[in-house]
Amino acid sequence: MNDPSDAGPQRHPGAANSPPGTNRLAQETSPYLLQHKDNPVDWWAWGPQALAHAKRANKPILLSVGYAACHWCHVMAHESFEDETTARVMNELFVNIKVDREERPDIDQIYMSALHHLGEQGGWPLTMFLTPEGEPVWGGTYFPKVSQYGRPAFVDVLRELSRLFRDEPGTIAQNRDALMARLSEKARAAGRADIARPQLDNFAMQVARLIDTTNGGLRGAPKFPQCAMFEFLWRAGLRGTDARFFGLVDHTLDRICEGGIYDHLGGGFSRYSVDERWLVPHFEKMLYDNAQLLELLALAHARSGTPLFLERARETVGWLMREMTTGEGAFCSSLDADSEGEEGKFYVWSLNEITALLGPDDAAFFAAHYDVTAGGNFEGHNILNRLKNLPRSPDDETRLAMLRSVLRQEREKRIRPGLDDKVLADWNGLMIASVANAGAMVAETAWIELGARAFDFIAAEMTREDRLGHSWRAGKLLYPGLASDYAAMIKAALALHEATGETRFLDHARAWQAAFDRHYANKNNGGYYLTADDAEGLVVRPDSTLDDATPNPNGIAAQNLIRLAVFTGDESFRAKADRLIEGVLSEGAENLFARISLLNAVDLRIGGAEIVVAGADDGALTQAALKLPSVARIVLRAPSADQLSPSHPVREKINAAASGAAAFICVGQSCSLPVSTAEDIAQAFEAAHGPA
């Protein structure tokens, strides 16, 4: 359990004193929980007080997990949680606990895993029924107010579960014991994991066969961006296995950039597309999706020069600065899918609306390029997209940009979707790393500065000594942080160090890594638990190694450790990376597809290229190295040989090289001859590492 003296600001200052029959969520800072503060449900936020109350009352727990931008969460809330009759049943039979999955992904991970063990498909809202001790018994996702399409009515579910708790405790105990056993069991290593380049190449070919060569992305619907998977294919292309891997990534990015999943007026990408063409988005916009897509777009543009990719990257950063940055400089979590109670209403158009704004000639021109018709392309409305491959001249693009500006100004008059402005350290870390890496690749220093400002906020306001918190809003910090916070913020620190050369970022990375190792290390596999050793006790300590919509913390941490070894010269970091990779892959070799972020770390470990810029560089060599479209390169500034580890293979080469700045490309223990001009770096990199 937490030591209260180490907990930072308390989350529930008045919860323990709240009278029965009280909705306690008004005391919270999470925008999602605050959305439910006026429900007639006697909601508790997750915490020791709620669990203690359930034990005292000897009532089962109804756990409802969602997030602010979740459409079906809003539907269930409106149908059931805002309904007096339904709330009365909930309050009579259960202790009701609301959780923001973005604020408490540790809780979400435990009970989502329980739902999967029940054979149910996961999703949100997550509705789980627990014993008074918090042990899972049964659950589902969205339940309608009235039974339909084979789904039971929510009140019927409530009454039946309550009856089972009351009349059939043996059934409840059997379910509880089976679920707890499965949640608590530790996977046994089948043997030593041994993945080398041939295994990576073979698996890349398997993944490539799953790609929809017409529409991009994985075949079928719904379609998610799957950025870690496309990074994996990109790495296969970098290894020189087959240039067609680059083509699969480029084609997918092209379709995403032109589809309705992209906001063609305001910038930014929605979470996923419900159809196979990327036309109809689930309209919520998440910070983490845009972070991952931004870096992929910069990579693809840096390699091919495709203008579309750079344009979408710039527009997305513009959206980030305009709509998703707090006054303190950190990044908000998400934008809702709904406005005025309707999903996507803020984003869709009718032909009549466009004609009234643009006039008939411009409207016809715009409609032809953005798939706008009188009947609409989605439920009588029009989702702007450019999936039709029409010829467009530079003059056409200039005219379309002007017309988009008119529509965007008009759209600003509409009631906006809700903004979840809480600051999550892990999602911010992903975006900070993305704007730093992308900014370096496409020479946008303002992007790097944007990331540095967000970084400084988290380092100052979301850190207690050398330890991170997870979520900040309205001056209140949820503390301690999670493994995902450490992994992502260490990644951000290393990206900023690489982009700027500033040692303060490396100092933060080292300090956070030490705290990470001290409080989260999983000695069973060399990886990391999601929660700290002094965090609030849960029914199990979550330690999933599977990727989700974001890469698993263990996959990010493995790459961080490899980079720390390069930047610090301390080989113990590389040894930790090896232990993590072997331990986690030994446990999870049967499902590599769900651990692609760790395979990306394996690629960096066995084939990553260090570009050592030595001597008095005026910035030209370093900038040329940073612009290489490779996720498998690490740029190390070394003005003198003394700044390299004693065993580094470049040390002697630096001393033997002519005076002045020089770059060396090292793969393994082999390093290139010195390169003295920025123009020659790409050629030397390809000769030493493979195509970029």
Side-chain angles (χ1 to χ4, degrees):
M1 298 293 289
N2 281 336
D3 178 353
S5 65
D6 195 33
Q10 299 299 300
R11 295 185 61 227
H12 311 296
N17 300 318
S18 300
T22 300
N23 183 327
R24 299 155 183 84
L25 299 187
Q27 304 168 16
E28 299 299 310
T29 57
S30 159
Y32 175 65
L33 298 186
L34 291 174
Q35 287 175 359
H36 295 270
K37 67 182 177 62
D38 296 321
N39 292 168
V41 178
D42 297 340
W43 287 119
W44 293 75
W46 183 278
Q49 297 94 336
L51 297 176
H53 174 69
K55 292 176 185 177
R56 285 195 304 270
N58 194 29
K59 280 186 177 183
I61 293 168
L62 191 163
L63 176 67
S64 178
V65 183
Y67 56 99
C70 169
H71 171 69
W72 286 103
C73 301
H74 300 330
V75 172
M76 190 168 178
H78 178 67
E79 291 179 346
S80 296
F81 304 151
E82 296 172 9
D83 178 67
E84 294 279 355
T85 302
T86 305
R88 193 175 305 118
V89 176
M90 293 171 65
N91 297 336
E92 176 187 350
L93 301 179
F94 295 91
V95 172
N96 303 291
I97 300 180
K98 236 331 162 181
V99 167
D100 180 342
R101 70 171 291 258
E102 297 167 0
E103 191 176 65
R104 295 301 304 266
D106 49 342
I107 295 167
D108 180 64
Q109 184 181 115
I110 290 170
Y111 296 107
M112 187 62 75
S113 179
L115 185 66
H116 290 157
H117 287 316
L118 288 167
E120 296 290 331
Q121 183 176 354
W124 296 275
L126 171 63
T127 308
M128 291 296 295
F129 296 91
L130 320 178
T131 68
E133 290 73 30
E135 300 157 323
V137 173
W138 187 80
T141 53
Y142 161 77
F143 290 99
K145 183 178 178 182
V146 179
S147 60
Q148 58 182 351
Y149 302 117
R151 290 179 180 267
F154 186 46
V155 167
D156 293 342
V157 171
L158 297 174
R159 288 179 171 142
E160 177 60 15
L161 262 293
S162 177
R163 186 193 68 77
L164 287 171
F165 273 99
R166 182 183 67 248
D167 299 340
E168 299 184 30
T171 300
I172 295 297
Q174 183 178 1
N175 271 29
R176 176 202 64 202
D177 292 346
L179 278 175
M180 289 304 298
R182 296 193 70 176
L183 286 173
S184 300
E185 70 183 8
K186 301 298 179 185
R188 303 299 178 192
R192 184 174 181 272
D194 186 17
I195 292 183
R197 176 170 172 161
Q199 287 76 34
L200 291 177
D201 292 342
N202 288 337
F203 189 59
M205 293 300 296
Q206 294 177 41
V207 173
R209 286 193 284 270
L210 301 175
I211 302 301
D212 180 343
T213 55
T214 300
N215 299 301
L218 291 174
R219 290 196 295 267
K223 270 183 159 53
F224 291 82
Q226 302 279 7
C227 292
M229 181 185 73
F230 285 102
E231 178 187 328
F232 181 69
L233 293 179
W234 190 271
R235 288 176 180 272
L238 289 173
R239 291 193 299 272
T241 305
D242 192 328
R244 286 177 293 182
F245 287 119
F246 291 126
L248 292 173
V249 178
D250 285 351
H251 180 61
T252 296
L253 288 176
D254 178 89
R255 296 294 81 196
I256 290 174
C257 286
E258 298 289 43
I261 191 174
Y262 181 72
D263 180 358
H264 290 265
L265 299 185
F269 296 87
S270 295
R271 191 161 73 94
Y272 67 90
S273 170
V274 301
D275 66 297
E276 65 180 8
R277 297 178 54 233
W278 306 102
L279 171 63
V280 181
H282 193 28
F283 286 92
E284 63 201 30
K285 292 182 185 177
M286 316 302 292
L287 184 67
Y288 60 77
D289 283 319
N290 285 277
Q292 295 173 88
L293 281 165
L294 175 61
E295 189 163 351
L296 270 181
L297 288 168
L299 275 169
H301 170 75
R303 177 183 174 274
S304 67
T306 302
L308 174 66
F309 299 152
L310 182 58
E311 182 180 2
R312 293 291 181 266
R314 284 178 171 155
E315 291 169 349
T316 297
V317 173
W319 163 77
L320 178 71
M321 297 172 69
R322 188 177 61 252
E323 299 186 34
M324 297 294 288
T325 302
T326 70
E328 298 84 2
F331 302 127
C332 303
S333 294
S334 63
L335 276 172
D336 207 331
D338 296 20
S339 57
E340 301 180 74
E342 184 177 329
E343 183 181 5
K345 185 172 183 178
F346 182 76
Y347 298 100
V348 298
W349 295 85
S350 70
L351 179 59
N352 287 339
E353 288 176 313
I354 291 174
T355 302
L357 284 168
L358 303 182
D361 292 342
D362 281 342
F365 176 75
F366 185 88
H369 286 277
Y370 282 91
D371 190 26
V372 176
T373 64
N377 56 26
F378 169 66
E379 297 182 353
H381 304 288
N382 289 283
I383 299 170
L384 303 183
N385 73 91
R386 304 200 333 175
L387 289 169
K388 292 179 181 177
N389 189 17
L390 300 177
R392 297 182 183 97
S393 68
D395 287 343
D396 289 339
E397 292 289 11
T398 300
R399 183 180 177 190
L400 288 170
M402 179 192 69
L403 300 177
R404 288 196 305 271
S405 177
V406 173
L407 293 182
R408 183 161 70 85
Q409 290 177 39
E410 180 65 22
R411 194 177 74 174
E412 288 299 308
K413 301 174 185 177
R414 297 176 177 178
I415 296 175
R416 298 186 58 81
L419 172 69
D420 186 334
D421 61 355
K422 69 175 176 289
V423 178
L424 298 175
D426 47 4
W427 295 7
N428 267 256
L430 292 178
M431 182 57 84
I432 293 165
S434 180
V435 291
N437 290 330
M441 271 187 285
V442 301
E444 288 281 1
T445 57
W447 299 4
I448 301 170
E449 292 165 0
L450 180 70
R453 184 178 176 219
F455 182 94
D456 289 342
F457 172 81
I458 292 170
E461 301 298 331
M462 296 182 66
T463 305
R464 300 287 181 264
E465 295 181 351
D466 63 348
R467 297 187 64 183
L468 284 160
H470 172 62
S471 174
W472 181 96
R473 186 175 185 272
K476 294 183 180 180
L477 178 66
L478 179 60
Y479 180 91
L482 304 168
S484 55
D485 300 308
Y486 283 85
M489 283 305 299
I490 293 167
K491 176 179 179 176
L494 295 174
L496 285 168
H497 171 67
E498 187 175 36
T500 67
E502 293 185 32
T503 57
R504 67 186 183 96
F505 296 120
L506 183 58
D507 292 341
H508 276 295
R510 296 187 73 161
W512 286 334
Q513 185 63 49
F516 195 20
D517 290 333
R518 191 165 65 248
H519 291 286
Y520 298 80
N522 183 343
K523 293 180 174 60
N524 296 318
N525 61 9
Y528 298 94
Y529 289 102
L530 182 62
T531 54
D533 55 4
D534 57 352
E536 170 193 342
L538 302 173
V539 291
V540 294
R541 192 176 180 190
D543 64 345
S544 172
T545 59
L546 303 177
D547 295 328
D548 200 342
T550 56
N552 185 270
N554 287 281
I556 299 174
Q559 288 205 48
N560 290 341
L561 290 166
I562 295 164
R563 294 178 183 276
L564 276 166
V566 174
F567 290 133
T568 66
D570 183 348
E571 287 301 309
S572 68
F573 288 120
R574 206 182 307 267
K576 286 181 182 178
D578 289 343
R579 170 76 178 93
L580 186 161
I581 289 168
E582 181 176 323
V584 172
L585 286 182
S586 292
E587 293 181 350
E590 78 289 346
N591 188 5
L592 293 179
F593 192 85
R595 295 174 173 86
I596 279 184
S597 68
L598 195 60
L599 296 185
N600 289 333
V602 174
D603 172 78
L604 182 67
R605 176 66 179 88
I606 65 179
E610 296 177 32
I611 304 177
V612 182
V613 181
D617 178 35
D618 63 1
L621 290 175
T622 301
Q623 296 307 313
L626 290 171
K627 289 178 182 177
L628 290 172
S630 175
V631 282
R633 61 103 176 102
I634 305 172
V635 180
L636 176 63
R637 295 168 173 84
S640 70
D642 294 339
Q643 292 174 276
L644 298 172
S645 65
S647 61
H648 200 289
V650 160
R651 281 182 68 99
E652 292 186 6
K653 289 179 178 287
I654 291 177
N655 294 329
S659 60
F664 301 84
I665 291 88
C666 303
V667 179
Q669 291 299 306
S670 177
C671 296
S672 70
L673 294 172
V675 177
S676 59
T677 66
E679 293 75 19
D680 293 334
I681 281 187
Q683 183 177 353
F685 179 85
E686 184 165 349
H689 174 268

